[in-house]
Amino acid sequence: MYSSQYWYLQNHSLFKHLNSNDLNEICLIAAYKTVRKGDIIFFSEENNGRVFTLKKGSLKIVRIDVEGNEIVKDILKVGDLFGSLDLLESNEDEYAIVLSDTATFCSFKAADFEKFIENKPEVAVKYTKWIGFWFKRLENRYSNIMFKDVKTRLLNFLKDIAKDHQTDPDGYVSLPNYLTHQDIASLICSTRQTVTSLLNSLKSEGIITYSRKEIKVKISVL
Amino acid sequence: MYSSQYWYLQNHSLFKHLNSNDLNEICLIAAYKTVRKGDIIFFSEENNGRVFTLKKGSLKIVRIDVEGNEIVKDILKVGDLFGSLDLLESNEDEYAIVLSDTATFCSFKAADFEKFIENKPEVAVKYTKWIGFWFKRLENRYSNIMFKDVKTRLLNFLKDIAKDHQTDPDGYVSLPNYLTHQDIASLICSTRQTVTSLLNSLKSEGIITYSRKEIKVKISVL
DNA sequence: TTGAGTTTGTCGGCTAAAAGACTATTTCCG
DNA sequence: CGGAAATAGTCTTTTAGCCGACAAACTCAA
């Protein structure tokens, strides 16, 4: 018999191979929380230096730049880590907004995790690799932005979210759409107007169909 | 009494706090090498999955994109880590070119380092933080490229290399210049011609002077 | 159901900077 | 030294896509 908290942790690839004693230990430093759509998770104040793992739902990471613009940095889904991944403080100008109806996540203080890691070297190595993956992901995202035109970037963005979804028998992938054109623009580093007109030209090319709730993408094009 | 190899490792912040037994251990998995200007370090083949630390000199990291263009990804200096930082394989399309007259570096197999880490969790935590720093650095570099115009990016680039150099009494920082305009263009994501004319306009504004060997930057402007 | 707020659609002007073409200068090496 | 290769300088042309302005469509709460 195990508590649901155990299940959550065990289900996360970072902790999958830990036994129940280990889980017991990390549960002591982990805190769970469920929040609703539109809720904001700030990384400053009491959350500063915390690492979060998303258990359910999806959210977007937003940064406020020096001019006060909102920049959508990333869209996260179940299993992703966020927060102070580098085990360092700060991130004052960043926060997360819940996109799905509800989201559940657990979190622990980077400092506590650090202590935990020191006794669980397998976890340390796994964590290191995890960070390495994200590093590569960031590199790819950015080189995409710098060397591809907006249309390609938009298609790559669609491809990226489509890859974790089932293909319908008609050859389309149906993606629930939590994002405004403004959000998408921010993610692919473009403008609202450009995204709108590109989406419409993709629509008239028969590559996608979309409403405000859903985007369907012809999988063969990606 | 210690060998010069010990000194090298000990001098690197990642290994600074290890005692001589630990150093002995990691020396067994580390290999040293000195190379000359223009030499190329490939990350594929026998170097695949290796982590390097630069002991002396400077080098540039180059990537070949799908269209065959050389993209200068980074300029590294003493103390920097490069190679398979994520402890993973691949990086086939990347290599390093030595810029200084000579360069010395040591390297170890990611797999060996991993084993080492499992017995030295403090090193794992340090390594994770190290990667975290680079993560942030990458984020900053790219947000710079995406949200600033070319002139600002060029000035930021100069600021960045100026920050580890002494200021002359005349208020200028003298930077040895290993880079062509093409290299600089690639680093700040612009074109050769644009860099050339921007450098010349900065020169006529009295902000910099430069030859092919050296760039002098008025520190007050940065 | 109504009207305020938010998100989408469309257009044309505008500009930074890429791209191309050619020349001038410097470097390198036999 | 001399001549080829690499690098830098300066034009002009072209263009992707940003930006403002405004209208249409949708959403939601009172």
Side-chain angles (χ1 to χ4, degrees), chain A residues 73 86 114 118 121 125 127-129 131-132 136 138-139 142 145-146 189, chain B residues 73 86 114 118 121 125 127-129 131-132 136 138-139 142 145-146 189:
Chain A
K73 288 185 59 185
D86 47 10
E114 218 171 280
E118 289 186 0
V125 171
Y127 188 73
T128 302
K129 286 193 174 174
I131 300 283
K136 280 242 166 91
L138 187 65
E139 269 195 346
Y142 284 134
I145 285 165
M146 292 186 295
C189 245
Chain B
K73 288 186 58 183
D86 49 8
E114 219 171 282
E118 289 186 359
V125 172
Y127 187 75
T128 302
K129 288 191 176 177
I131 300 283
K136 285 240 164 93
L138 188 64
E139 272 194 345
Y142 284 130
I145 286 165
M146 292 186 292
C189 247

PDB file of all heavy atoms in Angstrom, chain A residues 73 86 114 118 121 125 127-129 131-132 136 138-139 142 145-146 189, chain B residues 73 86 114 118 121 125 127-129 131-132 136 138-139 142 145-146 189:
ATOM      1  N   LYS A  73       8.265  32.045 -22.502  1.00  0.00           N
ATOM      2  CA  LYS A  73       9.518  31.343 -22.715  1.00  0.00           C
ATOM      3  C   LYS A  73       9.306  29.889 -23.067  1.00  0.00           C
ATOM      4  O   LYS A  73      10.082  29.303 -23.801  1.00  0.00           O
ATOM      5  CB  LYS A  73      10.396  31.415 -21.459  1.00  0.00           C
ATOM      6  CG  LYS A  73      10.980  32.773 -21.206  1.00  0.00           C
ATOM      7  CD  LYS A  73      11.926  32.718 -20.028  1.00  0.00           C
ATOM      8  CE  LYS A  73      13.051  31.732 -20.265  1.00  0.00           C
ATOM      9  NZ  LYS A  73      13.922  31.577 -19.089  1.00  0.00           N
ATOM     10  N   ASP A  86      18.952  25.115 -11.952  1.00  0.00           N
ATOM     11  CA  ASP A  86      20.386  25.177 -11.745  1.00  0.00           C
ATOM     12  C   ASP A  86      20.743  25.138 -10.269  1.00  0.00           C
ATOM     13  O   ASP A  86      21.888  25.321  -9.897  1.00  0.00           O
ATOM     14  CB  ASP A  86      20.960  26.429 -12.407  1.00  0.00           C
ATOM     15  CG  ASP A  86      20.129  27.653 -12.053  1.00  0.00           C
ATOM     16  OD1 ASP A  86      19.269  27.544 -11.166  1.00  0.00           O
ATOM     17  OD2 ASP A  86      20.356  28.699 -12.647  1.00  0.00           O
ATOM     18  N   GLU A 114      19.763  19.258  -2.994  1.00  0.00           N
ATOM     19  CA  GLU A 114      21.213  19.151  -3.047  1.00  0.00           C
ATOM     20  C   GLU A 114      21.722  18.162  -1.992  1.00  0.00           C
ATOM     21  O   GLU A 114      22.527  17.279  -2.283  1.00  0.00           O
ATOM     22  CB  GLU A 114      21.795  20.527  -2.760  1.00  0.00           C
ATOM     23  CG  GLU A 114      23.006  20.883  -3.558  1.00  0.00           C
ATOM     24  CD  GLU A 114      23.354  22.339  -3.335  1.00  0.00           C
ATOM     25  OE1 GLU A 114      22.705  23.207  -3.958  1.00  0.00           O
ATOM     26  OE2 GLU A 114      24.264  22.597  -2.539  1.00  0.00           O
ATOM     27  N   GLU A 118      23.456  14.313  -2.541  1.00  0.00           N
ATOM     28  CA  GLU A 118      24.781  13.937  -2.058  1.00  0.00           C
ATOM     29  C   GLU A 118      24.821  12.513  -1.538  1.00  0.00           C
ATOM     30  O   GLU A 118      25.874  11.907  -1.462  1.00  0.00           O
ATOM     31  CB  GLU A 118      25.255  14.936  -0.987  1.00  0.00           C
ATOM     32  CG  GLU A 118      25.596  16.272  -1.623  1.00  0.00           C
ATOM     33  CD  GLU A 118      26.205  17.270  -0.654  1.00  0.00           C
ATOM     34  OE1 GLU A 118      26.364  16.931   0.533  1.00  0.00           O
ATOM     35  OE2 GLU A 118      26.515  18.379  -1.106  1.00  0.00           O
ATOM     36  N   PRO A 121      23.899   9.245  -5.447  1.00  0.00           N
ATOM     37  CA  PRO A 121      24.645   9.636  -6.640  1.00  0.00           C
ATOM     38  C   PRO A 121      23.959   9.256  -7.945  1.00  0.00           C
ATOM     39  O   PRO A 121      24.114   9.958  -8.935  1.00  0.00           O
ATOM     40  CB  PRO A 121      25.986   8.922  -6.491  1.00  0.00           C
ATOM     41  CG  PRO A 121      25.823   7.964  -5.388  1.00  0.00           C
ATOM     42  CD  PRO A 121      24.702   8.406  -4.548  1.00  0.00           C
ATOM     43  N   VAL A 125      23.530  11.850 -11.118  1.00  0.00           N
ATOM     44  CA  VAL A 125      23.891  11.634 -12.517  1.00  0.00           C
ATOM     45  C   VAL A 125      22.676  11.827 -13.407  1.00  0.00           C
ATOM     46  O   VAL A 125      22.731  12.484 -14.445  1.00  0.00           O
ATOM     47  CB  VAL A 125      24.485  10.223 -12.719  1.00  0.00           C
ATOM     48  CG1 VAL A 125      24.657   9.929 -14.197  1.00  0.00           C
ATOM     49  CG2 VAL A 125      25.815  10.112 -12.007  1.00  0.00           C
ATOM     50  N   TYR A 127      20.059  13.607 -12.787  1.00  0.00           N
ATOM     51  CA  TYR A 127      19.697  15.016 -12.807  1.00  0.00           C
ATOM     52  C   TYR A 127      20.598  15.780 -13.767  1.00  0.00           C
ATOM     53  O   TYR A 127      20.150  16.600 -14.557  1.00  0.00           O
ATOM     54  CB  TYR A 127      19.811  15.596 -11.397  1.00  0.00           C
ATOM     55  CG  TYR A 127      19.284  17.005 -11.272  1.00  0.00           C
ATOM     56  CD1 TYR A 127      17.926  17.259 -11.304  1.00  0.00           C
ATOM     57  CD2 TYR A 127      20.153  18.081 -11.124  1.00  0.00           C
ATOM     58  CE1 TYR A 127      17.429  18.546 -11.205  1.00  0.00           C
ATOM     59  CE2 TYR A 127      19.670  19.379 -11.010  1.00  0.00           C
ATOM     60  CZ  TYR A 127      18.308  19.599 -11.049  1.00  0.00           C
ATOM     61  OH  TYR A 127      17.833  20.868 -10.949  1.00  0.00           O
ATOM     62  N   THR A 128      21.878  15.468 -13.707  1.00  0.00           N
ATOM     63  CA  THR A 128      22.844  16.102 -14.594  1.00  0.00           C
ATOM     64  C   THR A 128      22.474  15.880 -16.052  1.00  0.00           C
ATOM     65  O   THR A 128      22.489  16.791 -16.867  1.00  0.00           O
ATOM     66  CB  THR A 128      24.245  15.528 -14.325  1.00  0.00           C
ATOM     67  OG1 THR A 128      24.556  15.746 -12.955  1.00  0.00           O
ATOM     68  CG2 THR A 128      25.275  16.189 -15.185  1.00  0.00           C
ATOM     69  N   LYS A 129      22.102  14.641 -16.363  1.00  0.00           N
ATOM     70  CA  LYS A 129      21.715  14.334 -17.738  1.00  0.00           C
ATOM     71  C   LYS A 129      20.446  15.069 -18.124  1.00  0.00           C
ATOM     72  O   LYS A 129      20.293  15.539 -19.249  1.00  0.00           O
ATOM     73  CB  LYS A 129      21.512  12.827 -17.899  1.00  0.00           C
ATOM     74  CG  LYS A 129      22.809  12.073 -17.925  1.00  0.00           C
ATOM     75  CD  LYS A 129      22.601  10.656 -18.404  1.00  0.00           C
ATOM     76  CE  LYS A 129      23.941   9.968 -18.556  1.00  0.00           C
ATOM     77  NZ  LYS A 129      23.798   8.560 -18.892  1.00  0.00           N
ATOM     78  N   ILE A 131      19.366  17.935 -17.012  1.00  0.00           N
ATOM     79  CA  ILE A 131      19.721  19.324 -17.310  1.00  0.00           C
ATOM     80  C   ILE A 131      20.374  19.400 -18.684  1.00  0.00           C
ATOM     81  O   ILE A 131      20.119  20.308 -19.464  1.00  0.00           O
ATOM     82  CB  ILE A 131      20.688  19.882 -16.244  1.00  0.00           C
ATOM     83  CG1 ILE A 131      20.050  19.848 -14.869  1.00  0.00           C
ATOM     84  CG2 ILE A 131      21.130  21.298 -16.590  1.00  0.00           C
ATOM     85  CD1 ILE A 131      19.050  20.933 -14.628  1.00  0.00           C
ATOM     86  N   GLY A 132      21.209  18.407 -18.978  1.00  0.00           N
ATOM     87  CA  GLY A 132      21.868  18.363 -20.271  1.00  0.00           C
ATOM     88  C   GLY A 132      20.885  18.313 -21.422  1.00  0.00           C
ATOM     89  O   GLY A 132      21.042  19.020 -22.414  1.00  0.00           O
ATOM     90  N   LYS A 136      20.349  21.127 -24.480  1.00  0.00           N
ATOM     91  CA  LYS A 136      20.261  20.845 -25.911  1.00  0.00           C
ATOM     92  C   LYS A 136      18.967  21.382 -26.496  1.00  0.00           C
ATOM     93  O   LYS A 136      18.943  21.943 -27.593  1.00  0.00           O
ATOM     94  CB  LYS A 136      20.319  19.323 -26.147  1.00  0.00           C
ATOM     95  CG  LYS A 136      21.702  18.743 -26.093  1.00  0.00           C
ATOM     96  CD  LYS A 136      22.081  18.116 -27.439  1.00  0.00           C
ATOM     97  CE  LYS A 136      23.566  17.835 -27.525  1.00  0.00           C
ATOM     98  NZ  LYS A 136      23.903  16.478 -27.065  1.00  0.00           N
ATOM     99  N   LEU A 138      17.145  23.828 -25.435  1.00  0.00           N
ATOM    100  CA  LEU A 138      17.249  25.282 -25.524  1.00  0.00           C
ATOM    101  C   LEU A 138      18.071  25.676 -26.738  1.00  0.00           C
ATOM    102  O   LEU A 138      17.679  26.543 -27.525  1.00  0.00           O
ATOM    103  CB  LEU A 138      17.897  25.824 -24.248  1.00  0.00           C
ATOM    104  CG  LEU A 138      17.936  27.336 -24.080  1.00  0.00           C
ATOM    105  CD1 LEU A 138      16.538  27.906 -23.943  1.00  0.00           C
ATOM    106  CD2 LEU A 138      18.773  27.719 -22.873  1.00  0.00           C
ATOM    107  N   GLU A 139      19.197  25.023 -26.935  1.00  0.00           N
ATOM    108  CA  GLU A 139      20.051  25.295 -28.089  1.00  0.00           C
ATOM    109  C   GLU A 139      19.292  25.123 -29.387  1.00  0.00           C
ATOM    110  O   GLU A 139      19.370  25.958 -30.283  1.00  0.00           O
ATOM    111  CB  GLU A 139      21.258  24.358 -28.086  1.00  0.00           C
ATOM    112  CG  GLU A 139      22.448  24.910 -27.364  1.00  0.00           C
ATOM    113  CD  GLU A 139      23.703  24.117 -27.694  1.00  0.00           C
ATOM    114  OE1 GLU A 139      23.606  23.006 -28.248  1.00  0.00           O
ATOM    115  OE2 GLU A 139      24.793  24.616 -27.378  1.00  0.00           O
ATOM    116  N   TYR A 142      16.601  27.832 -29.958  1.00  0.00           N
ATOM    117  CA  TYR A 142      17.142  29.131 -30.326  1.00  0.00           C
ATOM    118  C   TYR A 142      17.759  29.120 -31.721  1.00  0.00           C
ATOM    119  O   TYR A 142      17.616  30.080 -32.463  1.00  0.00           O
ATOM    120  CB  TYR A 142      18.160  29.600 -29.294  1.00  0.00           C
ATOM    121  CG  TYR A 142      17.507  30.110 -28.040  1.00  0.00           C
ATOM    122  CD1 TYR A 142      17.958  29.732 -26.787  1.00  0.00           C
ATOM    123  CD2 TYR A 142      16.442  31.008 -28.103  1.00  0.00           C
ATOM    124  CE1 TYR A 142      17.358  30.208 -25.636  1.00  0.00           C
ATOM    125  CE2 TYR A 142      15.840  31.482 -26.968  1.00  0.00           C
ATOM    126  CZ  TYR A 142      16.301  31.086 -25.724  1.00  0.00           C
ATOM    127  OH  TYR A 142      15.715  31.554 -24.596  1.00  0.00           O
ATOM    128  N   ILE A 145      15.082  29.589 -34.042  1.00  0.00           N
ATOM    129  CA  ILE A 145      14.618  30.978 -34.112  1.00  0.00           C
ATOM    130  C   ILE A 145      15.565  31.850 -34.919  1.00  0.00           C
ATOM    131  O   ILE A 145      15.151  32.714 -35.685  1.00  0.00           O
ATOM    132  CB  ILE A 145      14.428  31.544 -32.697  1.00  0.00           C
ATOM    133  CG1 ILE A 145      13.165  30.974 -32.078  1.00  0.00           C
ATOM    134  CG2 ILE A 145      14.363  33.066 -32.711  1.00  0.00           C
ATOM    135  CD1 ILE A 145      13.060  31.169 -30.600  1.00  0.00           C
ATOM    136  N   MET A 146      16.851  31.582 -34.796  1.00  0.00           N
ATOM    137  CA  MET A 146      17.803  32.475 -35.444  1.00  0.00           C
ATOM    138  C   MET A 146      17.993  32.195 -36.926  1.00  0.00           C
ATOM    139  O   MET A 146      18.290  33.099 -37.683  1.00  0.00           O
ATOM    140  CB  MET A 146      19.139  32.418 -34.722  1.00  0.00           C
ATOM    141  CG  MET A 146      19.022  33.029 -33.332  1.00  0.00           C
ATOM    142  SD  MET A 146      20.608  33.149 -32.526  1.00  0.00           S
ATOM    143  CE  MET A 146      20.996  31.440 -32.355  1.00  0.00           C
ATOM    144  N   CYS A 189       8.943  33.953 -31.381  1.00  0.00           N
ATOM    145  CA  CYS A 189       9.638  35.210 -31.584  1.00  0.00           C
ATOM    146  C   CYS A 189       9.158  35.935 -32.840  1.00  0.00           C
ATOM    147  O   CYS A 189       9.940  36.208 -33.746  1.00  0.00           O
ATOM    148  CB  CYS A 189      11.125  34.941 -31.710  1.00  0.00           C
ATOM    149  SG  CYS A 189      12.040  35.655 -30.400  1.00  0.00           S
TER     150      CYS A 189
ATOM    151  N   LYS B  73      29.625  29.284 -32.635  1.00  0.00           N
ATOM    152  CA  LYS B  73      28.692  29.228 -31.522  1.00  0.00           C
ATOM    153  C   LYS B  73      29.206  29.944 -30.297  1.00  0.00           C
ATOM    154  O   LYS B  73      28.449  30.495 -29.528  1.00  0.00           O
ATOM    155  CB  LYS B  73      28.393  27.770 -31.142  1.00  0.00           C
ATOM    156  CG  LYS B  73      27.523  27.056 -32.140  1.00  0.00           C
ATOM    157  CD  LYS B  73      27.163  25.685 -31.626  1.00  0.00           C
ATOM    158  CE  LYS B  73      26.440  25.754 -30.284  1.00  0.00           C
ATOM    159  NZ  LYS B  73      26.142  24.433 -29.722  1.00  0.00           N
ATOM    160  N   ASP B  86      26.570  17.471 -21.502  1.00  0.00           N
ATOM    161  CA  ASP B  86      25.383  16.779 -21.014  1.00  0.00           C
ATOM    162  C   ASP B  86      25.650  15.304 -20.739  1.00  0.00           C
ATOM    163  O   ASP B  86      24.755  14.550 -20.436  1.00  0.00           O
ATOM    164  CB  ASP B  86      24.246  16.927 -22.020  1.00  0.00           C
ATOM    165  CG  ASP B  86      24.723  16.585 -23.427  1.00  0.00           C
ATOM    166  OD1 ASP B  86      25.865  16.097 -23.567  1.00  0.00           O
ATOM    167  OD2 ASP B  86      23.961  16.816 -24.367  1.00  0.00           O
ATOM    168  N   GLU B 114      31.119  10.116 -15.053  1.00  0.00           N
ATOM    169  CA  GLU B 114      29.887   9.682 -14.413  1.00  0.00           C
ATOM    170  C   GLU B 114      30.184   8.736 -13.244  1.00  0.00           C
ATOM    171  O   GLU B 114      29.648   8.902 -12.155  1.00  0.00           O
ATOM    172  CB  GLU B 114      29.049   8.943 -15.456  1.00  0.00           C
ATOM    173  CG  GLU B 114      27.580   9.198 -15.379  1.00  0.00           C
ATOM    174  CD  GLU B 114      26.889   8.599 -16.590  1.00  0.00           C
ATOM    175  OE1 GLU B 114      26.945   9.217 -17.674  1.00  0.00           O
ATOM    176  OE2 GLU B 114      26.322   7.515 -16.434  1.00  0.00           O
ATOM    177  N   GLU B 118      29.655   9.389  -9.102  1.00  0.00           N
ATOM    178  CA  GLU B 118      28.854   8.554  -8.212  1.00  0.00           C
ATOM    179  C   GLU B 118      29.497   8.390  -6.841  1.00  0.00           C
ATOM    180  O   GLU B 118      28.821   8.098  -5.870  1.00  0.00           O
ATOM    181  CB  GLU B 118      28.591   7.185  -8.862  1.00  0.00           C
ATOM    182  CG  GLU B 118      27.607   7.326 -10.011  1.00  0.00           C
ATOM    183  CD  GLU B 118      27.191   5.998 -10.605  1.00  0.00           C
ATOM    184  OE1 GLU B 118      27.684   4.954 -10.135  1.00  0.00           O
ATOM    185  OE2 GLU B 118      26.384   6.025 -11.539  1.00  0.00           O
ATOM    186  N   PRO B 121      29.638  12.985  -4.711  1.00  0.00           N
ATOM    187  CA  PRO B 121      28.421  13.740  -4.978  1.00  0.00           C
ATOM    188  C   PRO B 121      28.599  15.258  -4.897  1.00  0.00           C
ATOM    189  O   PRO B 121      27.866  15.980  -5.568  1.00  0.00           O
ATOM    190  CB  PRO B 121      27.439  13.249  -3.913  1.00  0.00           C
ATOM    191  CG  PRO B 121      28.237  12.469  -2.950  1.00  0.00           C
ATOM    192  CD  PRO B 121      29.476  12.033  -3.608  1.00  0.00           C
ATOM    193  N   VAL B 125      26.994  17.948  -7.618  1.00  0.00           N
ATOM    194  CA  VAL B 125      26.236  19.173  -7.351  1.00  0.00           C
ATOM    195  C   VAL B 125      26.918  20.361  -8.004  1.00  0.00           C
ATOM    196  O   VAL B 125      26.285  21.192  -8.657  1.00  0.00           O
ATOM    197  CB  VAL B 125      26.082  19.404  -5.829  1.00  0.00           C
ATOM    198  CG1 VAL B 125      25.481  20.771  -5.565  1.00  0.00           C
ATOM    199  CG2 VAL B 125      25.220  18.322  -5.216  1.00  0.00           C
ATOM    200  N   TYR B 127      28.878  20.315 -10.545  1.00  0.00           N
ATOM    201  CA  TYR B 127      28.752  20.184 -11.984  1.00  0.00           C
ATOM    202  C   TYR B 127      27.377  20.661 -12.449  1.00  0.00           C
ATOM    203  O   TYR B 127      27.244  21.398 -13.416  1.00  0.00           O
ATOM    204  CB  TYR B 127      28.963  18.721 -12.385  1.00  0.00           C
ATOM    205  CG  TYR B 127      29.015  18.481 -13.874  1.00  0.00           C
ATOM    206  CD1 TYR B 127      30.138  18.824 -14.605  1.00  0.00           C
ATOM    207  CD2 TYR B 127      27.938  17.922 -14.541  1.00  0.00           C
ATOM    208  CE1 TYR B 127      30.196  18.621 -15.969  1.00  0.00           C
ATOM    209  CE2 TYR B 127      27.982  17.699 -15.908  1.00  0.00           C
ATOM    210  CZ  TYR B 127      29.119  18.056 -16.613  1.00  0.00           C
ATOM    211  OH  TYR B 127      29.167  17.843 -17.962  1.00  0.00           O
ATOM    212  N   THR B 128      26.374  20.256 -11.700  1.00  0.00           N
ATOM    213  CA  THR B 128      25.007  20.673 -12.019  1.00  0.00           C
ATOM    214  C   THR B 128      24.893  22.188 -12.009  1.00  0.00           C
ATOM    215  O   THR B 128      24.298  22.796 -12.895  1.00  0.00           O
ATOM    216  CB  THR B 128      24.039  20.069 -10.992  1.00  0.00           C
ATOM    217  OG1 THR B 128      24.177  18.660 -11.020  1.00  0.00           O
ATOM    218  CG2 THR B 128      22.623  20.439 -11.311  1.00  0.00           C
ATOM    219  N   LYS B 129      25.481  22.802 -11.009  1.00  0.00           N
ATOM    220  CA  LYS B 129      25.441  24.261 -10.923  1.00  0.00           C
ATOM    221  C   LYS B 129      26.183  24.902 -12.093  1.00  0.00           C
ATOM    222  O   LYS B 129      25.773  25.915 -12.640  1.00  0.00           O
ATOM    223  CB  LYS B 129      26.044  24.735  -9.607  1.00  0.00           C
ATOM    224  CG  LYS B 129      25.158  24.451  -8.425  1.00  0.00           C
ATOM    225  CD  LYS B 129      25.641  25.166  -7.178  1.00  0.00           C
ATOM    226  CE  LYS B 129      24.671  24.923  -6.046  1.00  0.00           C
ATOM    227  NZ  LYS B 129      25.117  25.534  -4.791  1.00  0.00           N
ATOM    228  N   ILE B 131      26.617  23.691 -15.084  1.00  0.00           N
ATOM    229  CA  ILE B 131      25.745  23.605 -16.256  1.00  0.00           C
ATOM    230  C   ILE B 131      24.650  24.667 -16.152  1.00  0.00           C
ATOM    231  O   ILE B 131      24.299  25.312 -17.134  1.00  0.00           O
ATOM    232  CB  ILE B 131      25.102  22.210 -16.368  1.00  0.00           C
ATOM    233  CG1 ILE B 131      26.163  21.132 -16.503  1.00  0.00           C
ATOM    234  CG2 ILE B 131      24.129  22.150 -17.549  1.00  0.00           C
ATOM    235  CD1 ILE B 131      26.778  21.012 -17.849  1.00  0.00           C
ATOM    236  N   GLY B 132      24.145  24.847 -14.947  1.00  0.00           N
ATOM    237  CA  GLY B 132      23.111  25.853 -14.730  1.00  0.00           C
ATOM    238  C   GLY B 132      23.568  27.237 -15.133  1.00  0.00           C
ATOM    239  O   GLY B 132      22.832  27.980 -15.783  1.00  0.00           O
ATOM    240  N   LYS B 136      21.999  29.682 -18.115  1.00  0.00           N
ATOM    241  CA  LYS B 136      21.633  31.089 -17.990  1.00  0.00           C
ATOM    242  C   LYS B 136      22.365  31.930 -19.021  1.00  0.00           C
ATOM    243  O   LYS B 136      21.802  32.847 -19.623  1.00  0.00           O
ATOM    244  CB  LYS B 136      22.001  31.603 -16.587  1.00  0.00           C
ATOM    245  CG  LYS B 136      21.072  31.130 -15.499  1.00  0.00           C
ATOM    246  CD  LYS B 136      20.403  32.309 -14.793  1.00  0.00           C
ATOM    247  CE  LYS B 136      19.204  31.853 -13.998  1.00  0.00           C
ATOM    248  NZ  LYS B 136      19.534  31.565 -12.610  1.00  0.00           N
ATOM    249  N   LEU B 138      23.520  31.025 -21.912  1.00  0.00           N
ATOM    250  CA  LEU B 138      22.920  30.757 -23.211  1.00  0.00           C
ATOM    251  C   LEU B 138      21.623  31.551 -23.357  1.00  0.00           C
ATOM    252  O   LEU B 138      21.383  32.210 -24.367  1.00  0.00           O
ATOM    253  CB  LEU B 138      22.642  29.261 -23.342  1.00  0.00           C
ATOM    254  CG  LEU B 138      22.188  28.735 -24.697  1.00  0.00           C
ATOM    255  CD1 LEU B 138      23.266  28.918 -25.739  1.00  0.00           C
ATOM    256  CD2 LEU B 138      21.786  27.269 -24.602  1.00  0.00           C
ATOM    257  N   GLU B 139      20.796  31.516 -22.322  1.00  0.00           N
ATOM    258  CA  GLU B 139      19.538  32.269 -22.336  1.00  0.00           C
ATOM    259  C   GLU B 139      19.790  33.743 -22.595  1.00  0.00           C
ATOM    260  O   GLU B 139      19.120  34.364 -23.402  1.00  0.00           O
ATOM    261  CB  GLU B 139      18.808  32.108 -21.000  1.00  0.00           C
ATOM    262  CG  GLU B 139      17.893  30.923 -20.946  1.00  0.00           C
ATOM    263  CD  GLU B 139      16.955  31.000 -19.748  1.00  0.00           C
ATOM    264  OE1 GLU B 139      17.210  31.797 -18.832  1.00  0.00           O
ATOM    265  OE2 GLU B 139      15.965  30.248 -19.727  1.00  0.00           O
ATOM    266  N   TYR B 142      20.991  34.521 -26.195  1.00  0.00           N
ATOM    267  CA  TYR B 142      19.956  34.413 -27.195  1.00  0.00           C
ATOM    268  C   TYR B 142      18.905  35.502 -27.061  1.00  0.00           C
ATOM    269  O   TYR B 142      18.419  36.022 -28.059  1.00  0.00           O
ATOM    270  CB  TYR B 142      19.309  33.036 -27.152  1.00  0.00           C
ATOM    271  CG  TYR B 142      20.187  31.975 -27.774  1.00  0.00           C
ATOM    272  CD1 TYR B 142      20.458  30.798 -27.125  1.00  0.00           C
ATOM    273  CD2 TYR B 142      20.748  32.177 -29.036  1.00  0.00           C
ATOM    274  CE1 TYR B 142      21.262  29.826 -27.694  1.00  0.00           C
ATOM    275  CE2 TYR B 142      21.560  31.217 -29.607  1.00  0.00           C
ATOM    276  CZ  TYR B 142      21.814  30.043 -28.932  1.00  0.00           C
ATOM    277  OH  TYR B 142      22.608  29.094 -29.499  1.00  0.00           O
ATOM    278  N   ILE B 145      20.228  38.380 -28.738  1.00  0.00           N
ATOM    279  CA  ILE B 145      20.137  38.290 -30.190  1.00  0.00           C
ATOM    280  C   ILE B 145      18.721  38.521 -30.694  1.00  0.00           C
ATOM    281  O   ILE B 145      18.502  39.161 -31.714  1.00  0.00           O
ATOM    282  CB  ILE B 145      20.660  36.909 -30.669  1.00  0.00           C
ATOM    283  CG1 ILE B 145      22.180  36.886 -30.565  1.00  0.00           C
ATOM    284  CG2 ILE B 145      20.213  36.624 -32.090  1.00  0.00           C
ATOM    285  CD1 ILE B 145      22.787  35.524 -30.653  1.00  0.00           C
ATOM    286  N   MET B 146      17.758  38.049 -29.926  1.00  0.00           N
ATOM    287  CA  MET B 146      16.398  38.132 -30.427  1.00  0.00           C
ATOM    288  C   MET B 146      15.770  39.502 -30.232  1.00  0.00           C
ATOM    289  O   MET B 146      14.926  39.901 -31.012  1.00  0.00           O
ATOM    290  CB  MET B 146      15.543  37.059 -29.768  1.00  0.00           C
ATOM    291  CG  MET B 146      15.961  35.672 -30.229  1.00  0.00           C
ATOM    292  SD  MET B 146      14.885  34.393 -29.624  1.00  0.00           S
ATOM    293  CE  MET B 146      15.241  34.440 -27.883  1.00  0.00           C
ATOM    294  N   CYS B 189      25.088  36.856 -34.892  1.00  0.00           N
ATOM    295  CA  CYS B 189      24.001  36.547 -35.800  1.00  0.00           C
ATOM    296  C   CYS B 189      23.721  37.682 -36.769  1.00  0.00           C
ATOM    297  O   CYS B 189      22.622  38.225 -36.824  1.00  0.00           O
ATOM    298  CB  CYS B 189      22.743  36.259 -35.002  1.00  0.00           C
ATOM    299  SG  CYS B 189      22.242  34.585 -35.145  1.00  0.00           S
TER     300      CYS B 189
END
